[in-house]
Amino acid sequence: MNFLKRTVPLVIAFVMGVLMAMQYYVPHKLSQDLLEVVSRWDRIIAGFAVFIGAYSLFHLHWTRIKRKVEGWGYSIFVYFGAIITLIFGFLNGGKFFWNDKQQGTMFDWLYYYVQVPAGATIFSILAFFIASAAYRTFRARTNESTVLLIAAVLVMLGRVPIGNYISQYIPAIADWIMAVPNLAAKRGILLGVSLGAIATSLKIIFGIERSYLGGGD
Amino acid sequence: MRKDSNFFILVGTIGLFVCINIFLMASGKLPFSSDGFGIILGAGLTLAIYSFLYKDNPAFKIAENLYVGVSLGYTIIITWFNFLKPDLYDPLIVPMFSKAAEKAPQYALIFPSLLGIFMLLRFSRKLSWLSRWTFAFVVGLGAGVSIPRVISAFILEQIKPSLHPVFSGGETILSSINTLLIMLGVISVLIYFIFSVEHKGAIGKVSKIGIWFLMISFGASFGYTVMGRLSLLIGRIQFLLRDWLNILQ
Amino acid sequence: MSVSQEVVKESYLEAGRPDAYNSDNVFLVASEQFPYVAAVGGIMTREKPAANFFIGYFYAEALILAETGSTTGAIQIAGTDAYTQLPFFITTCDYTLIGEELYAASAYLSREPMLMGTLRAQDVGKGILIIILILGTILASFGLVFITHLFEAF
Amino acid sequence: MERFLRIDRRIIFAIITVAVIVSLILRFELPIPPSEPVQGVYGKIESLPKGSHVMIAFDYDPSSKEELQPMAIAFLHHCFSRDLKVIGMTHYTGAPGLADQAMTSVANQYQKKPGEDYAFLGYKPGAASLIINMGENLYSAFPKDFYGNDTTTLPVLQGVDSLREIDFLFDLAAGTTIETWIVFGKEKYKFELGAGCTAVMGPDMYPFLQSKQLSGLLGGLKGAAEYEALVGKKANAVSGMRPQSVVHVIIILFVIFGNIVYFTSRRARHA
């Protein structure tokens, strides 16, 4: 059993990794067909991952309701929202789900008037917290954070039209910050991160990195 | 006593919201249609979420959980119409069971479907080990596909523009200085992230330069992040003022 | 993509919050993000810990956490490879580990040979890149462009 | 002095809200000159002959809608006004509604027909694998469009077999999809790539601009405003620049004031 549980996955990862890395260098028709088929399979597998996410979210709120955790009543609204959307989605404007998707159904209405405004608003709350942090906590504690704040102020002024009014040099300085020091540092980080990604990939292929196996035997 | 005042604030706000909407509908500023009611719902949810800024309250929590539920439902339905139906149901399942189908079923699709189902077995206690096969396939494939492409796109392509003559004539002194600065920045940041050599002497000095480059670039990111978050807020207020209250043109 | 997902998931496990992991769906975070922040923020203001450590991967909640912490007057130390959140840690915390420094720190603290080896291999890679950059630019400046052409071949 | 810093944060929230509302209602003109990266995208579209194929990847969801939807609309105006064929798709489950809305509403203004002048292929999972699949064979990646039409029968897709035949690909990104398109798409299939991204991602994209892996970039609402101005369709993004300017100044004043108080009170304690 250990063979099926541990060895087989490691062999699969090794074979797939080596095969796909070599495929890149072989311009033969057969190798291209392989790439097409395998990429199609992989995106189909990835589609199933959506259901893992959905299941864990349903499960999380179900346990809250079952155990009557503080504030469990709100979890009912998750189920309410999901079920009503699913019902209208499967009804598909009276044509049912085995037909093609219809336009302008109640399902779309729920998206445009619940998901869009609520989703857009939740993340905009952060604007207020940034303003309050600017007032209360963004401090030039060290030389490093002083440089950071000065660069930030120049970029913030240079990237809005008002910077032009204060001085024509401010947008020019902001452009320079973006295109020279910022570019250099971001390229350095990118090179470092890419080396890290290659190292991780190699470790996966050769079975050193096994965290994808999860816990247990 | 304090609980009472909270209750009155909540009821008062909801009452005000209802009155405003009745006025908007009656004066014809909002159409009496599904879109009109949709805008009212959207405005209500927006305000409910912003009420969190005053205090954590039931209206915020209801709006947030409702949003999570609806987007979950949307995800599942979209996955059905955009993925399961065209990629598996139509080419595989339908031709297998219907004689009228023009095309033969694509049996090869059984393989990825099985691996996909194995992944879902993660939630079963007895068979969760099968999900490891799927993860091994996905992760191994990802690793193999990434290595040559990351080397080519993120390392070679990124180094190429830095291998630039510093003086090739025709350029201004400023652009030569910028070329040198970018060069210095990339190298010093790389050295800053080298950990197996102690940061002393010349290496220490260069890695100090790296810190300044990093700090300026973080400053740029900081400024841009502030800008981005504010844009989201501006967008929401535009929605409230234009689409709902009809104040802006 | 799936690799990075696994890595992110791992870092969540290491940070003791596997519940906050999300594969691709931002909304999964949204549902947990603000209650999580509210809970931790509440603890910080009530208990007033002497030091706060923010280690691991963070999304937008980073800013709110660090702000709450700094108003309580605690010493704050952060370490994250979420580059978009780093600026906020640097301006609100007393000490910040930047990106890979976090991995290096954990490798040196644990002295695990595998981690150290990987780190060393990556350092060698960086060294090679630096040499190519310096040599290539010098040669290119003197009109010898064969190194640049070497890259064209790919 | 220090007690100024301990004011209720709700006062700060109120100041920001009032500043945004007032500067939206008061109308004043601000100059919006196009920056070089934005010009890069605009110039590329101007240079394409009629009937060229442009693909738009709507890789965002409602949480970034306020920054990226104005970009999508301005860019679509430009494409349809120049009679380009537009193909849309997305990596995000939350995106199809927004993408469909943007494409249909702009297309109707130019009397463009679905299937002939434009097509929305919808959502597919898979990220990197999806891009590779599209690069090898677009029809095996997207057998059907968003409304279930067989993609092989769509006239708009004629002459396109894979990503190699796409004349310009424009990615609207809320996450790391630009990098994914570069590594798994552009690297092998050699299409021209331009991008619009949230401001948060903006600074990270500059290395790709200099290396020409991106031919242009629209960063955040400012980028959208510049594009709206270039195309001559001033809308949400341009009018958003007024509050954006005002609130930036307020936040900078907050930072300066907070730091002055911090340093004076620290000096007072040391003395």
Side-chain angles (χ1 to χ4, degrees), chain D residues 70-136:
Chain D
M71 261 182 219
I73 289 173
F75 185 74
L76 282 163
H77 271 295
H78 197 197
C79 291
F80 284 130
S81 70
R82 295 200 47 87
D83 291 321
L84 304 176
K85 308 252 183 228
V86 180
I87 307 156
M89 58 79 59
T90 171
H91 285 110
Y92 277 52
T93 42
L98 287 171
D100 190 36
Q101 192 181 40
M103 289 185 86
T104 320
S105 69
V106 180
N108 286 342
Q109 295 175 39
Y110 295 88
Q111 283 89 42
K112 298 289 177 189
K113 290 193 193 72
E116 280 175 42
D117 304 301
Y118 71 98
F120 180 51
L121 305 178
Y123 157 80
K124 283 279 184 227
S129 297
L130 173 61
I131 292 173
I132 295 176
N133 199 173
M134 289 166 77
E136 295 297 324

Side-chain angles (χ1 to χ4, degrees), chain D residues 51-269:
Chain D
S52 302
H53 290 95
V54 173
M55 181 175 272
I56 307 180
F58 295 84
D59 296 333
Y60 59 95
D61 61 7
S63 54
S64 317
K65 166 209 166 222
E66 305 297 356
E67 281 183 277
L68 296 174
Q69 191 79 347
M71 261 182 219
I73 289 173
F75 185 74
L76 282 163
H77 271 295
H78 197 197
C79 291
F80 284 130
S81 70
R82 295 200 47 87
D83 291 321
L84 304 176
K85 308 252 183 228
V86 180
I87 307 156
M89 58 79 59
T90 171
H91 285 110
Y92 277 52
T93 42
L98 287 171
D100 190 36
Q101 192 181 40
M103 289 185 86
T104 320
S105 69
V106 180
N108 286 342
Q109 295 175 39
Y110 295 88
Q111 283 89 42
K112 298 289 177 189
K113 290 193 193 72
E116 280 175 42
D117 304 301
Y118 71 98
F120 180 51
L121 305 178
Y123 157 80
K124 283 279 184 227
S129 297
L130 173 61
I131 292 173
I132 295 176
N133 199 173
M134 289 166 77
E136 295 297 324
N137 183 348
L138 189 65
Y139 302 98
S140 100
F142 284 95
K144 302 272 177 80
D145 76 354
F146 188 55
Y147 290 105
N149 303 309
D150 199 336
T151 41
T152 47
T153 63
L154 293 178
V156 60
L157 290 176
Q158 251 168 32
V160 178
D161 292 323
S162 69
L163 288 179
R164 290 176 212 269
E165 287 83 30
I166 296 289
D167 298 297
F168 187 65
L169 200 144
F170 188 63
D171 184 24
L172 288 153
T176 54
T177 45
I178 299 176
E179 281 102 321
T180 318
W181 278 108
I182 290 175
V183 182
F184 299 100
K186 184 185 171 64
E187 190 273 328
K188 184 153 185 204
Y189 309 110
K190 310 282 180 214
F191 46 80
E192 278 290 325
L193 179 66
C197 65
T198 56
V200 178
M201 308 297 307
D204 296 351
M205 293 303 130
Y206 275 74
F208 302 118
L209 281 172
Q210 196 220 13
S211 67
K212 306 271 189 314
Q213 284 167 296
L214 281 181
S215 43
L217 179 74
L218 277 60
L221 197 64
K222 175 74 188 316
E226 289 173 17
Y227 213 86
E228 282 181 358
L230 276 175
V231 181
K233 292 277 172 197
K234 294 190 182 179
N236 274 10
V238 167
S239 55
M241 280 302 109
R242 297 198 303 269
Q244 190 92 49
S245 294
V246 172
V247 181
H248 274 205
V249 172
I250 292 178
I251 288 195
I252 289 168
L253 292 177
F254 278 172
V255 172
I256 293 173
F257 179 76
N259 275 290
I260 290 175
V261 174
Y262 173 74
F263 281 108
T264 49
S265 64
R266 215 169 60 160
R267 197 162 297 163
R269 222 175 287 150

Side-chain angles (χ1 to χ4, degrees), chain A residues 110-121:
Chain A
L110 281 167
Y111 172 78
Y112 288 125
Y113 296 117
V114 177
Q115 189 176 349
V116 170
T121 310

Side-chain angles (χ1 to χ4, degrees), chain B residues 198-240:
Chain B
E198 231 183 302
H199 286 194
K200 279 196 295 196
I203 293 204
K205 279 197 188 111
V206 181
S207 88
K208 280 262 155 50
I209 299 174
I211 298 181
W212 299 117
F213 273 96
L214 281 172
M215 287 305 143
I216 296 176
S217 95
F218 289 155
S221 297
F222 183 107
Y224 263 66
T225 306
V226 174
M227 180 164 115
R229 304 294 185 217
L230 289 173
S231 301
L232 300 183
L233 170 67
I234 291 165
R236 291 327 289 159
I237 294 188
Q238 279 178 330
F239 164 76
L240 288 177

Side-chain angles (χ1 to χ4, degrees), chain A residues 93-148:
Chain A
K95 286 244 174 171
F96 297 106
F97 60 92
W98 53 83
N99 289 300
D100 295 332
K101 190 186 173 305
Q102 302 297 304
Q103 262 171 302
T105 61
M106 191 61 194
F107 169 72
D108 293 322
W109 188 88
L110 281 167
Y111 172 78
Y112 288 125
Y113 296 117
V114 177
Q115 189 176 349
V116 170
T121 310
I122 282 182
F123 286 88
S124 74
I125 286 186
L126 287 161
F128 292 103
F129 287 107
I130 280 194
S132 122
Y135 186 73
R136 305 200 303 177
T137 42
F138 292 156
R139 295 286 175 268
R141 281 164 227 275
T142 55
N143 292 341
E144 282 92 348
S145 48
T146 312
V147 171
L148 193 157

